[in-house]
Amino acid sequence: MDPQQLLVVLSYTFSPDQAQRKQAEDAIKTLPTVEGAPLALLQIVGAKEQVGREVRQAAAVSFKNIAKSFWEPLGSITGEKCVPTASKPAIRDLLFQALLVETDKSVRDLLAESVHLLVRTDYPAHWPGLLPDILACVQSGDPLRMHNALLALRKVVKRLEYKMKEDRGPLEAIVGTALPLLEQLVRQLLETQNNSLEAALIMKLCLKIVWSCTQFSLPNGCGDGSNPALLAHMGQWIELIGALIAKPLPEASEPDAQPAGQPEAAEERAAWPWWKLKKWALQITQRWFHRYGMPQYADDESRAFAAQFSAVHAPALLEPVLAQLSLGPQVVKGRTVAPTFAWSTWSRPCSYFKRLLCAAAVCFAPLSPTLAYAAPTHTHPPPPRPLPARKQGRYCTDRCTHLCLVYVESAVQLGSTYKLLKPHMGPLLREVLFPQLCLKPADLELFESDPLEFVAKQNDPMEDFTDPKMSAMTLLESVMKYRKKDNLDPFLGFLTESLNEYAAAPPELKNARKKEGVMVALGCLAELLKKNQKYAAQLEPMLVAHVFPEFKSPVGFLRARAASLTQYFYKAKFSDFSHVALLLQHMLEALRDPCLPVQVEAANGLRCLIELKGTEALITPVLPQLLNEYFRIMGEIGSDSVVSALETIIDRFGDELAPHAALLVQKLAGAFLEYASEASAGEGGEGSDEAAMAACGSVDAITTVLSVIVNSDACPALLAEAQPFLLPVLALILDPSGDNLEYLESGLEILTFVTYYSGDDGEGNRQTAGQRAALKQAAASVMAPYVNFFPALVHAFHNWAYDYIEGMMSPIDNMIGCASDLFLQSVEPTSGQSFVMLTLSMVDKVFNNGGRNNGKESICATHLLLSLLHNGMPAKLDSALGPIMELTFARLNPAPKATEVLLRVPEGCAEGQPIQTNIHGYEASVPCPPGAQPGCETRVTLEVPPMPVGPKLKTALLQVVASAFYYNPMMTLAWLEARGDTASFFNAWFVEMDSQGAEWGHLAAKLHVLALSSLVALPPAQLPNFLAQHLAAMLAKLVAFTKAIEDDNKGGTGGEEGEEEEGEDDDEDDDEDEDDEDEDVEDGEDDDNEAGDGDAADKVELAYQESLKDMMKGGARMRSAFAEADEDEDDLYGDEDDYSSPIDDVDQLLLFFAALQHAQAQHPDLMAQAQAQLPPEAQAACAELLQKAHAKQAQQAGVEGA
């Protein structure tokens, strides 16, 4: 392709003429199919002097899209549409060369991402020269080429970092060749004191590469010590990282200080390359410490590294980490001042850090200004915020502070580092940790100016990974968990002194921020204080004296914190119920507080208070007003926690709320539609995430209200009243676009509720067939609008919701069962397909979905077939009986299937050599295909053996066949005869009946009785020869199944009642345990986690490390385990008692009796011969069943006559 022509087309995409622009955009879409287009695009990207920046960006984007979708066959993209293999080497070479010299950050990032996309398929097999080329550029001395080459290397290792252990060979090669070179580069930059921004950017990339190489696993031979040189090399990296942490970053106002140019604004500081470099150094440090550096958690593969790190590096790194923490502010008397806490008395000097930072006579080429650092820009630059006072005028970013606190949290658990920390724990907790618990000036400003954003930030789960406050809370909990004896009493003394100081101070001198920080600390210690008798008795007076008054505080954030503490201390042992009533009153008043954060905290806390005994009577009279306040708050902010709290209240007061259920559904449906619209319009921002979670909470609350409705005596009327509000909710969730997938699970639950009508009369008594028919007719009229959603369900299943087959089963079964006439007669208007055939298309996809199908999903599909057959009688399903049998027999006897799989070719494997692989849980040997490159993945088409039919799936499939015989035995036999499978099927079926014996469930046994009875009752002329010859065997099995059910019914009399009574006793025991939970406090110290001065170990962490180790060993074994898990068919779709269909009204004993009477009349000689061939015990059982059936028939006739 001519690059000049392509340049013109790209230029036209920026044309103000809409028609011209549209024509150019359409031409760009065809580029993947144009020969030479990738090379032409890269040539345009590289023409920096001749081509404008925006056109070069467009060319880079177009190339990236080709690399993403058309480099290798993917999905619907076949090999013919992909980039030709012959042109790929030239493209790869030109891409790398263009990246090396690119100075524009946006274009450079696009080219780097393109390298990442090509690496996923080409490295190392098809691109073996990439790593040598990168390393040559790193050693070139040209800063621009060095930086961009490192960027390419970062993309390579980022692609490899998630590989399983057996696939990490290419990454290990990079560790062995690249990391030593990068270590020398970083050391050289440090020793020459190169303080340019370019040096920071280069060292930051080096650390990011180290991070990707070690994030999930240490290099081979490093962790276990089998490669001492590599272990020593990692130690050198730790020393360099420590030097980077210790490197001072002076203020811009300090004369002649280096590195110079630190920005003033906090946002720009966080993006400054030197702070970003320090952030990556701290991130690697805390990761290595937590994951590999603790002997108590180390496995055999990391024990040597853990021993060296814990003994040598962890104590040495503690000094620069704590030095960073000492730069942060503290809160004293309402002012932000520098901490008095200093580390001049540190007991272990860190001399090698100082040695690394001293100047050396090593020259390094001056860095070129072409590698520019782009500071964040603002359309309207905000005024610089005043900087808090800091020790010696220095500053530490929040992210670095967070990582430092995480490191200290690990140091608390390690004995060698805790011994160094122990003398300083008091100042550390008071002057370093505690200030991080207090609200910062920026938070106070946000509280006042933008309460919505303040609440969103407080509830943002991502803050747990970045906010120093969250890491400080975690550190405090760990200190009190593992080192409680040394630190709990002194720290509680500090908190008590602070509370008393605040209480005694005049209003103008009260330090509200410090008081709020104390309350945060108390919340962190709540569980510990409640479980220790020494402190538990003091909680009630503490709350009354120091927390309750803050509900009336003029300071809004103190009122919010007081409401928040309710969630931590509501289970404190209150000796005076009036205090509980007072707390409840405060919380109810807080719902109408002028500050939105106070309202939100009160709404969240009330769901805890309603669990306390005695509060129900206080809340019930004001329940309508309470709900109005919740809906008002939900209208102001999309908070999922508030919606969740409302759901808890609805669940708790369900009986009282039943008359208002339709109004609740209306309010919640409106809230859901509003939140979902906000989330969709937000396009993935933080606000849209919060709105999406609130929408999920709203739709979950709807299901809670529906659970109240379906248990109400006025269920049909209430559902009809709520229907207009539910239909828009379901329509949005089932939108064909699939954009609302996150709400689908709750939407299916709503559909299940509204389409469910029990066969009970509300008091646990079974209804008669006539009563059930009347209820079914009434239900069908209510359900008709919901049945119309069935095509949308099928569309979702086929296009974007296959994983939800289990959730779809219940509403579809309800549609078939409760509105069977409507469902069986309905047709999808667009395609003209009947609902029955749409159902069979779902079953077909499950049964024939390659390696995805498993026992659970297939059994769900058979359940749909059962529902169709049981509700299709009589003669409503004749046209679908053949397809049902075809699907069932195809799954019962699966054949091998040609499947395209991704095969990894081992190193050194030649063409034709066997490759051991795992396909859908099966170990297989596959010959190496022609042209496959060792060390890479290639696509091959194989005859994959079918997944085995497990025993429960086989039972489910045989239930479908039995149901078909009961539906229409003559049509089903005719279908078998046409296939010539009659003898083979019945032989296999009889064997299956004998092999399972008493293991058949009630439903399967009943279906076998119905099927065999239907077959026995057929006229002799319609019986195939095989069945006529085996009538005795069929009769014996019919007798056995019928007797088993009757014996089970006889033996189960009173069983359910006994089980219910036992269940009630269990519930009472649970209630007693819950009541006693508050009294389960310890008389003295809890030493379970106390470790003295030694290493502390967390059982949860140990379990996590063990599972992580198993996963890293993973590979084929893990994939096989997942495959086996898929075949676990326990708890497939609940108790059989939950399944309801018209066969519930069929008395199998009377059907058995009628079948034998009919057979006796039709062919007496044949029946007499068959009965004579029965074993004596079968003959006796048959006589007993006939006598019992005759008596039952006579009894029913007498009742009807009366």
Side-chain angles (χ1 to χ4, degrees):
M1 184 176 189
D2 184 5
Q4 196 63 37
Q5 293 178 352
L6 181 55
L7 176 61
V8 174
V9 175
L10 289 169
S11 301
Y12 282 161
T13 60
F14 298 94
S15 171
D17 185 338
Q18 182 177 358
Q20 194 176 56
R21 188 171 64 249
K22 178 68 167 58
Q23 186 179 5
E25 290 171 353
D26 292 340
I28 293 297
K29 293 178 182 178
T30 65
L31 285 180
T33 61
V34 178
E35 186 177 355
L39 279 173
L41 288 169
L42 290 175
Q43 289 169 5
I44 292 173
V45 172
K48 294 185 290 184
E49 304 297 331
Q50 297 81 20
V51 181
R53 177 175 181 268
E54 68 279 0
V55 177
R56 295 176 59 240
Q57 283 181 320
V61 169
S62 297
F63 180 84
K64 182 179 75 70
N65 292 336
I66 292 176
K68 181 179 181 180
S69 302
F70 296 91
W71 192 256
E72 285 286 332
L74 181 66
S76 61
I77 307 300
T78 60
E80 294 78 12
K81 298 180 181 179
C82 292
V83 176
T85 303
S87 62
K88 288 182 179 180
I91 295 173
R92 288 191 293 259
D93 182 64
L94 186 56
L95 171 62
F96 182 63
Q97 294 303 322
L99 174 61
L100 289 178
V101 298
E102 185 55 59
T103 57
D104 185 275
K105 185 179 185 303
S106 62
V107 177
R108 182 172 63 222
D109 290 344
L110 288 167
L111 294 175
E113 182 59 25
S114 299
V115 170
H116 179 259
L117 293 170
L118 267 57
V119 163
R120 67 181 177 178
T121 57
D122 290 10
Y123 183 83
H126 303 297
W127 206 351
L130 178 60
L131 182 59
D133 290 344
I134 289 175
L135 298 184
C137 293
V138 171
Q139 301 175 77
S140 66
D142 181 344
L144 179 60
R145 296 176 71 86
M146 292 169 60
H147 176 274
N148 292 357
L150 289 171
L151 181 59
L153 183 57
R154 159 71 169 163
K155 295 298 182 180
V156 173
V157 295
K158 191 170 180 61
R159 171 61 186 159
L160 300 172
E161 65 182 332
Y162 299 105
K163 293 287 187 180
M164 288 291 186
K165 197 169 185 64
E166 68 268 20
D167 298 328
R168 290 172 70 89
L171 187 63
E172 293 291 342
I174 293 174
V175 169
T177 56
L179 288 197
L181 180 62
L182 301 190
E183 184 261 331
Q184 294 175 14
L185 175 60
V186 174
R187 185 181 298 276
Q188 189 178 26
L189 289 169
L190 277 175
E191 290 179 345
T192 57
Q193 298 189 30
N194 191 316
N195 293 309
S196 65
L197 291 178
E198 290 80 6
L201 289 168
I202 286 175
M203 288 191 287
K204 182 189 75 171
L205 275 175
C206 291
L207 293 192
K208 292 173 77 171
I209 292 167
V210 172
W211 167 265
S212 292
C213 289
T214 60
Q215 180 183 182
F216 296 112
S217 178
L218 287 172
N220 283 337
C222 174
D224 58 8
S226 60
N227 188 338
L230 184 56
L231 182 60
H233 174 66
M234 297 303 289
Q236 294 169 358
W237 268 112
I238 296 172
E239 293 181 7
L240 287 174
I241 290 170
L244 291 171
I245 297 172
K247 184 177 179 65
L249 300 180
E251 296 294 322
S253 58
E254 297 181 42
D256 301 326
Q258 293 294 329
Q262 182 166 183
E264 291 288 323
E267 294 84 358
E268 295 180 3
R269 287 176 184 265
W272 195 42
W274 284 103
W275 276 118
K276 297 278 280 188
L277 171 63
K278 189 163 287 197
K279 184 264 290 188
W280 278 101
L282 286 165
Q283 184 164 312
I284 292 173
T285 299
Q286 66 87 12
R287 178 72 165 190
W288 287 3
F289 192 3
H290 179 77
R291 183 153 188 170
Y292 311 121
M294 295 190 181
Q296 63 268 43
Y297 301 131
D299 56 16
D300 293 338
E301 296 181 357
S302 61
R303 204 170 303 282
F305 180 87
Q308 176 176 298
F309 191 95
S310 60
V312 178
H313 302 299
L317 287 168
L318 197 56
E319 178 178 358
V321 168
L322 292 173
Q324 289 298 316
L325 289 175
S326 70
L327 301 178
Q330 62 171 322
V331 181
V332 178
K333 296 183 179 179
R335 297 176 291 113
T336 306
V337 302
T340 57
F341 177 41
W343 298 97
S344 57
T345 58
W346 193 247
S347 58
R348 184 187 181 97
C350 195
S351 58
Y352 61 89
F353 292 150
K354 299 175 183 177
R355 170 173 53 83
L356 283 169
L357 289 172
C358 69
V362 179
C363 295
F364 187 75
L367 292 174
S368 167
T370 56
L371 182 60
Y373 158 66
T377 58
H378 306 275
T379 307
H380 300 286
R385 295 179 180 175
L387 297 174
R390 291 171 287 275
K391 182 181 179 182
Q392 299 176 354
R394 300 291 171 82
Y395 176 84
C396 185
T397 65
D398 283 350
R399 180 66 172 139
C400 288
T401 301
H402 164 79
L403 292 169
C404 288
L405 290 171
V406 173
Y407 185 92
V408 175
E409 195 267 336
S410 297
V412 166
Q413 298 185 49
L414 189 65
S416 60
T417 48
Y418 180 69
K419 290 176 183 177
L420 299 175
L421 281 171
K422 186 175 180 179
H424 309 283
M425 285 302 298
L428 176 66
L429 293 175
R430 294 191 306 270
E431 300 178 20
V432 174
L433 183 145
F434 178 74
Q436 298 298 334
L437 301 180
C438 302
L439 281 174
K440 297 177 176 60
D443 296 326
L444 295 178
E445 180 184 344
L446 197 62
F447 186 94
E448 299 294 338
S449 62
D450 193 350
L452 285 171
E453 182 62 27
F454 178 85
V455 173
K457 182 180 178 184
Q458 295 294 309
N459 295 304
D460 185 1
M462 294 307 298
E463 292 291 316
D464 295 355
F465 303 98
T466 58
D467 190 356
K469 182 175 184 176
M470 303 307 299
S471 53
M473 294 168 66
T474 303
L475 173 57
L476 179 59
E477 292 170 357
S478 292
V479 168
M480 300 310 168
K481 180 178 182 179
Y482 301 118
R483 313 294 179 182
K484 180 175 60 177
K485 289 183 178 179
D486 297 333
N487 301 290
L488 181 57
D489 286 340
F491 188 66
L492 284 178
F494 165 71
L495 297 181
T496 303
E497 180 184 348
S498 301
L499 290 174
N500 293 332
E501 177 186 330
Y502 180 87
E508 65 274 9
L509 295 180
K510 289 182 181 293
N511 186 344
R513 288 177 58 201
K514 187 174 182 180
K515 173 69 178 286
E516 197 268 349
V518 171
M519 296 167 77
V520 172
L522 288 172
C524 294
L525 303 176
E527 291 302 317
L528 176 63
L529 298 177
K530 287 186 296 185
K531 291 182 179 180
N532 194 303
Q533 191 172 11
K534 175 182 176 182
Y535 307 109
Q538 304 175 37
L539 292 180
E540 184 178 12
M542 183 273 294
L543 293 171
V544 173
H546 297 289
V547 177
F548 286 13
E550 299 309 329
F551 282 100
K552 304 294 184 180
S553 171
V555 182
F557 62 80
L558 281 180
R559 300 196 301 274
R561 184 56 60 188
S564 173
L565 273 188
T566 302
Q567 302 174 62
Y568 296 95
F569 289 105
Y570 74 99
K571 283 193 175 182
K573 192 169 180 60
F574 287 95
S575 59
D576 188 347
F577 185 76
S578 65
H579 292 156
V580 177
L582 178 60
L583 177 58
L584 181 60
Q585 183 64 32
H586 283 320
M587 294 289 282
L588 291 173
E589 293 173 354
L591 285 176
R592 297 184 293 273
D593 192 278
C595 292
L596 180 62
V598 181
Q599 301 172 25
V600 172
E601 293 296 348
N604 294 336
L606 272 172
R607 67 172 162 188
C608 301
L609 284 180
I610 64 175
E611 296 183 16
L612 299 181
K613 289 183 178 179
T615 58
E616 182 178 0
L618 300 176
I619 293 177
T620 301
V622 297
L623 195 55
Q625 297 91 325
L626 177 64
L627 294 179
N628 285 335
E629 293 300 328
Y630 269 89
F631 283 116
R632 179 187 58 77
I633 296 171
M634 289 168 56
E636 295 185 27
I637 182 171
S639 171
D640 67 306
S641 59
V642 174
V643 178
S644 177
L646 175 62
E647 183 182 0
T648 302
I649 293 175
I650 293 172
D651 186 54
R652 177 70 174 80
F653 294 94
D655 294 339
E656 291 81 2
L657 292 174
H660 314 286
L663 180 60
L664 286 173
V665 171
Q666 179 184 5
K667 295 280 189 179
L668 290 167
F672 166 75
L673 295 174
E674 181 180 349
Y675 293 148
S677 175
E678 182 182 342
S680 177
E683 297 182 355
E686 293 182 5
S688 66
D689 291 342
E690 181 68 20
M693 289 190 289
C696 287
S698 299
V699 76
D700 287 342
I702 292 176
T703 63
T704 303
V705 176
L706 291 176
S707 69
V708 173
I709 290 177
V710 298
N711 291 315
S712 168
D713 294 336
C715 174
L718 289 175
L719 279 181
E721 192 176 349
Q723 189 178 85
F725 314 116
L726 293 174
L727 294 178
V729 171
L730 294 170
L732 179 66
I733 293 174
L734 294 172
D735 185 83
S737 66
D739 292 340
N740 300 302
L741 177 63
E742 62 265 43
Y743 316 124
L744 180 59
E745 187 171 357
S746 297
L748 294 174
E749 195 170 352
I750 290 175
L751 264 180
T752 301
F753 273 122
V754 298
T755 56
Y756 174 74
Y757 281 83
S758 168
D760 296 334
D761 61 6
E763 299 179 356
N765 301 318
R766 300 300 297 178
Q767 297 173 341
T768 65
Q771 290 172 323
R772 185 179 292 109
L775 183 59
K776 182 176 180 180
Q777 184 177 1
S781 62
V782 177
M783 285 177 53
Y786 301 117
V787 174
N788 292 333
F789 284 110
F790 176 70
L793 274 177
V794 176
H795 175 83
F797 171 78
H798 284 297
N799 291 277
W800 44 269
Y802 179 92
D803 292 335
Y804 291 83
I805 175 62
E806 294 183 56
M808 292 179 180
M809 182 190 68
S810 293
I812 295 176
D813 179 48
N814 291 341
M815 291 177 188
I816 299 172
C818 296
S820 55
D821 291 340
L822 175 63
F823 187 93
L824 296 175
Q825 296 169 9
S826 294
V827 175
E828 202 278 320
T830 303
S831 65
Q833 280 191 296
S834 68
F835 281 15
V836 172
M837 296 311 296
L838 289 176
T839 306
L840 296 187
S841 73
M842 296 177 67
V843 176
D844 182 44
K845 183 169 182 177
V846 175
F847 282 178
N848 299 286
N849 198 25
R852 252 308 301 266
N853 59 356
N854 56 47
K856 289 184 179 181
E857 293 170 355
S858 294
I859 288 181
C860 287
T862 63
H863 189 85
L864 295 178
L865 297 180
L866 290 178
S867 189
L868 285 174
L869 289 167
H870 296 167
N871 290 279
M873 299 178 66
K876 299 175 185 176
L877 211 65
D878 288 358
S879 61
L881 184 61
I884 290 175
M885 292 296 290
E886 290 283 355
L887 289 171
T888 304
F889 268 66
R891 187 66 184 94
L892 193 59
N893 304 290
K897 186 176 181 181
T899 305
E900 187 180 62
V901 298
L902 200 61
L903 184 68
R904 186 181 183 277
V905 181
E907 297 288 349
C909 184
E911 180 181 333
Q913 283 188 323
I915 301 174
Q916 298 299 321
T917 187
N918 186 282
I919 304 172
H920 308 327
Y922 295 95
E923 296 294 334
S925 179
V926 180
C928 181
Q933 296 293 328
C936 69
E937 294 176 335
T938 184
R939 295 180 183 274
V940 295
T941 301
L942 302 173
E943 286 289 326
V944 177
M947 296 186 69
V949 179
K952 293 190 176 181
L953 174 56
K954 183 178 290 187
T955 297
L957 292 167
L958 291 176
Q959 288 178 19
V960 175
V961 179
S963 299
F965 281 124
Y966 178 61
Y967 171 82
N968 192 321
M970 289 185 290
M971 284 185 65
T972 307
L973 284 174
W975 184 87
L976 280 173
E977 285 285 284
R979 286 170 53 102
D981 287 342
T982 304
S984 60
F985 169 74
F986 276 98
N987 279 326
W989 194 18
F990 290 163
V991 170
E992 195 68 27
M993 292 180 191
D994 295 334
S995 64
Q996 292 209 35
E999 295 181 9
W1000 293 98
H1002 177 81
L1003 176 62
K1006 182 170 184 175
L1007 288 174
H1008 279 70
V1009 172
L1010 303 185
L1012 293 172
S1013 298
S1014 301
L1015 291 170
V1016 168
L1018 285 175
Q1022 295 178 352
L1023 272 179
N1025 292 333
F1026 178 86
L1027 290 185
Q1029 296 170 5
H1030 293 79
L1031 183 60
M1034 194 161 51
L1035 182 61
K1037 291 172 180 18
L1038 173 59
V1039 170
F1041 276 114
T1042 307
K1043 187 175 188 307
I1045 295 176
E1046 292 302 312
D1047 290 347
D1048 183 62
N1049 291 339
K1050 182 178 179 181
T1053 303
E1056 292 182 3
E1057 186 175 325
E1059 290 175 5
E1060 183 177 351
E1061 293 175 358
E1062 183 180 352
E1064 291 174 358
D1065 292 341
D1066 291 341
D1067 292 340
E1068 292 175 3
D1069 292 341
D1070 292 340
D1071 293 339
E1072 291 175 4
D1073 293 342
E1074 187 174 343
D1075 294 339
D1076 293 342
E1077 184 178 336
D1078 294 339
E1079 301 176 5
D1080 188 18
V1081 293
E1082 300 163 8
D1083 186 9
E1085 300 289 339
D1086 175 15
D1087 294 330
D1088 287 347
N1089 294 307
E1090 189 65 38
D1093 289 343
D1095 293 343
D1098 186 346
K1099 292 181 179 179
V1100 175
E1101 179 68 16
L1102 288 171
Y1104 167 74
Q1105 295 287 349
E1106 186 65 26
S1107 63
L1108 198 63
K1109 179 182 69 173
D1110 290 343
M1111 186 180 72
M1112 290 306 299
K1113 289 180 178 177
R1117 186 176 59 81
M1118 284 297 293
R1119 290 189 287 270
S1120 177
F1122 282 124
E1124 292 172 6
D1126 285 340
E1127 285 300 306
D1128 182 10
E1129 298 164 357
D1130 292 335
D1131 300 325
L1132 291 162
Y1133 41 77
D1135 196 327
E1136 284 185 351
D1137 293 340
D1138 293 337
Y1139 179 74
S1140 177
S1141 79
I1143 67 168
D1144 295 341
D1145 298 326
V1146 178
D1147 189 314
Q1148 64 277 349
L1149 181 61
L1150 295 183
L1151 183 66
F1152 166 81
F1153 181 63
L1156 261 63
Q1157 278 189 325
H1158 188 75
Q1160 190 71 34
Q1162 290 283 333
H1163 39 93
D1165 296 338
L1166 193 61
M1167 283 297 297
Q1169 182 181 357
Q1171 288 177 328
Q1173 295 176 6
L1174 292 177
E1177 59 273 14
Q1179 293 181 10
C1182 183
E1184 180 186 348
L1185 289 171
L1186 290 173
Q1187 183 180 3
K1188 185 176 180 180
H1190 187 273
K1192 190 172 186 178
Q1193 191 179 53
Q1195 183 182 8
Q1196 288 186 355
V1199 171
E1200 291 176 0

